[in-house]
Structures are given as C-alpha cells and as structure tokens.
Amino acid sequence: MIAEGLIACATRLVASGKGLLAMDESNPTCNRRFAALGISQTIEMRRAWRELLVTAPGLGESISGAILYDETIRQSDRHGRRFIDCLTSVGIVPGIKVDLGARPLALHPGEFVTEGLDGLRERLADYAGMGAQFAKWRAVIGLDGDHPGIACIRSNMQALARYAALCQEAGMVPIVEPEVLMAGTHSLERCQSVTGDVLTALFEELHVQGVLLEGVILKPNMVLPGLDSLTQDPVRTVAAATIECLSRSVPPAVAGIAFLSGGQSAERASARLNAMNDRTLIDRHPWPLVFSFARAIQQPALDCWRGKDANVMAAQEALVHRARCNHAALRGAYDAAMELAPAIPDASS
Ligand code: 13P
C-alpha cells in the first residue's frame, strides 16, 4: 500500500511532463541572494518573495511539485491562505527540504557531510501532517585537488540512503540530491568520473537500506566542466556526457531524474536539458529527465522583483516564462527564440 502511494506520487512529480520548482533555500542562502540585490533580509520579505512564487498565475501548467523550506511551509499569503493550499489548489504537490545543512567532515579538512538524521522520523511525521508529500536532502561534494575522498563520498551517500529509508517509512517520496559542485577549474571528464563514483556509491547504499527505487527521485548535477575551466564544452557534449554517466550508474527502476541547476545560467540550463530530451538522445535513457531548478528558474524573477510591490507582476511573468522554457525542454521543444527580453525594471524603480 505504501509502495503504491510512493510510486504514484513519484510518477506524478516526474512523469507528468512537468518539472519541479526548488524554493527551499535556507534562510542564510535566501538572505545572501536578497543582499546581493539590496533587498532587506527579513522574515516578511522572505514570506513576500515566496508568496510571489506560489501565487504566480499559470505556474501549475509547467510545475508538478514545489520544494519548501521549514520557515516557508508554515507561512501563508497576505490573505491568510497557507502556501501549501496555494500550491495544491493549482495541482502542485508540496514537498519539504529536511536536511540541516553541510558541516565540516571530521578529520577531512575542506570536505563536508550533510547532517539532519537525528529526530528526522519525528520531523517527517510533522511535515506529513502539514501536507508535504515528498522530501529532499542535499549532499555537497566539492572537486578540488584530491577531493572528494572516499570518506566524504561514503558518509554522504550513507546519510542520503538512511534519509531515503525514513522518508519511505513515513510514506513520503525521497528526492536524493548528491550534488557534485561546479566550483573549480576541473574538466568535464573529471566531473563525469566523480559523478559516476558518487552515484554508484549512492545506489549501493540505497540497496543496503532496502529503499524502493521506483519510489525515489534522483536530483543530480549535470556533467559539466568547472565554472572556471578554460574549456566550456558545447551543449550537445554536456548532454551526451551526462546521459552516458547516468546510464552507467543509475538503475532503470528509479522513478525519474530531476536535475539541479548548480549555478548555470537560466538559458544554458534550459538548453542542456532540452538537448538531453531531443529526439537524438531520448532513446538513450529509460527515465524521465526533468528539472528541479532553484537559481535557474527563480533568479530572473528575483532580479526583476528587487523587493518592490510594483514589480510583482513582472517578476511572476519572468518566473512563469522560465517554467515554460523548461517545460518545453522536457519535450526537446525549447529554442533560444523562446527567450523574450525579460521585463527587468530599472533598479531605481
Ligand atoms: P540550484 O538549481 O540553484 O542548484 O538549486 C537546486 C537545489 O535544490 C539546491 O539544493
């Protein structure tokens, strides 16, 4: 019974021809993005921003699920309507980020392990009671010199698998997010090799914990050269390398794959996702390949909003525009011609 519910929810999230909106930035991350645009970093401004997102007209046409944060899941719009209800009323499934962030890994300077397993069973029950149907946990793997080491990979993948087991026990679909970071000068080949090691370790741990793969969504990075690499490979090379890596390390039983954007520009993320779903590559993967972007879907809207009521409609249009571009990319139908000049108001307005 639980298995059927998990599979139905996972299918709805990734196999309905739509993708996910990640709006689960922690308060420090959200504040950092606000500070960069001169937006005040208050609980009310974070609430106003999340209200803008969840009430954007037309969002439900391209978005299947939205990942919330602990502060946000408890909040409501200005009329007192819970954000969870705003989402479900337009067919968007609410989910929740449940990890408590990455902390330094003992005895391994420069490496991190994501924490949050203590008390997770009880927190999941609370979130399920509020209406969350799925959860997310992010592990961060840096590429730098000899990093990542085996201790970093194993401890993060075991934590992800234990989190996934607890989610399924609670009847919630786990999104497992092992993010190999873009920061650095590494090549696409090195990213592919490390991403393959990380995913192989992850699926071993999921197997050990007895997690039902048909009720799991994988949220990986695309295989990319480092942000500061002098060689920036073309869209098709990135798409082919990503699919090659996934097909070597991800079992076909997994419900679907929903990419993070990781610091790519919004247009590049759409173009790369599109290339993976166009007719030349679509037969090379058994899973739906969708998006679960935060920055690549929110940032143009945030640039537009800048904390001003007068900019809310234009910002919502920018958000829905990106959602539509990524929706088209799921069918291989995205084209640079879809990019309208976004209505970014003057910073002084
Ligand atoms: P980005 O798309 O900005 O990488 O964020 C995805 C996410 O959910 C980070 O945990």
Side-chain angles (χ1 to χ4, degrees), residues 13 21 48 95 140 186 238:
L13 287 169
L21 167 64
V140 284
H186 53 269
V238 164

Side-chain angles (χ1 to χ4, degrees), residues 17-293:
K18 302 179 187 177
L20 288 95
L21 167 64
M23 45 178 287
D24 59 325
E25 299 82 7
S26 64
N27 290 344
T29 301
C30 187
N31 287 344
R32 214 169 39 247
R33 293 189 185 148
F34 279 12
L37 292 169
I39 302 169
S40 53
Q41 296 113 65
T42 62
I43 185 168
E44 174 49 25
M45 289 307 266
R46 291 193 297 273
R47 193 208 60 76
W49 169 239
R50 268 66 182 255
E51 173 175 339
L52 181 160
L53 298 177
V54 302
T55 60
L59 193 67
E61 289 158 27
S62 316
I63 299 294
S64 58
I67 315 174
L68 306 174
Y69 179 62
D70 183 72
E71 178 178 275
T72 319
I73 197 170
R74 302 166 194 281
Q75 289 175 323
S76 304
D77 71 8
R78 67 193 63 194
H79 309 293
R81 196 165 176 227
R82 293 187 326 145
F83 286 162
I84 285 219
D85 298 328
C86 299
L87 291 166
T88 51
S89 70
V90 293
I92 299 177
V93 181
I96 180 76
K97 167 194 174 81
V98 298
D99 67 72
L100 298 180
R103 304 285 152 81
L105 180 64
L107 305 182
H108 294 83
E111 298 204 271
F112 295 86
V113 62
T114 299
E115 296 190 346
L117 288 170
D118 289 351
L120 181 56
R121 178 177 275 127
E122 293 73 23
R123 289 196 293 124
L124 287 169
D126 280 353
Y127 290 134
M130 292 180 213
Q133 296 181 42
F134 68 97
K136 189 200 91 168
W137 178 293
R138 171 173 177 255
V140 284
I141 312 289
L143 285 188
D144 182 21
D146 293 338
H147 295 164
I150 189 81
C152 172
I153 294 180
R154 285 217 186 139
S155 43
N156 274 295
M157 297 312 113
Q158 193 195 44
L160 269 168
R162 289 190 54 207
Y163 139 82
L166 282 160
C167 284
Q168 292 195 338
E169 178 189 83
M172 291 167 80
V173 170
I175 296 186
V176 291
E177 182 180 10
E179 176 173 4
V180 176
L181 297 172
M182 279 177 76
T185 55
H186 53 269
S187 63
L188 171 136
E189 290 75 17
R190 175 143 162 77
C191 178
Q192 190 188 46
S193 155
V194 172
T195 302
D197 289 348
V198 164
L199 293 175
T200 301
L202 172 63
F203 285 98
E204 274 174 26
E205 296 290 349
L206 289 168
H207 176 71
V208 169
Q209 297 299 328
V211 172
L212 178 77
L213 295 184
E214 291 84 348
V216 166
I217 295 169
L218 174 67
K219 177 163 173 169
N221 50 285
M222 295 183 193
V223 170
L224 299 170
L227 273 177
D228 298 324
S229 167
L230 294 178
T231 310
Q232 290 296 324
D233 303 83
V235 168
R236 289 208 50 84
T237 309
V238 164
T242 302
I243 289 178
E244 186 175 70
C245 179
L246 294 171
S247 52
R248 287 174 180 165
S249 42
V250 181
V254 167
I257 293 178
F259 291 103
L260 60 91
S261 59
Q264 306 174 66
S265 73
E267 291 81 4
R268 273 193 176 169
S270 298
R272 288 163 170 166
L273 181 61
N274 187 71
M276 290 184 233
N277 282 314
D278 85 8
R279 63 190 159 68
T280 55
L281 289 178
I282 191 86
D283 292 336
R284 301 222 199 137
H285 51 85
W287 329 267
L289 295 187
V290 306
F291 58 92
S292 176
F293 298 156

Side-chain angles (χ1 to χ4, degrees), residues 321-341:
H321 171 63
R322 286 262 52 86
R324 288 197 179 123
C325 287
N326 290 313
H327 187 222
L330 305 187
R331 306 185 304 279
Y334 168 78
D335 191 279
M338 281 184 78
E339 300 296 352
L340 313 166

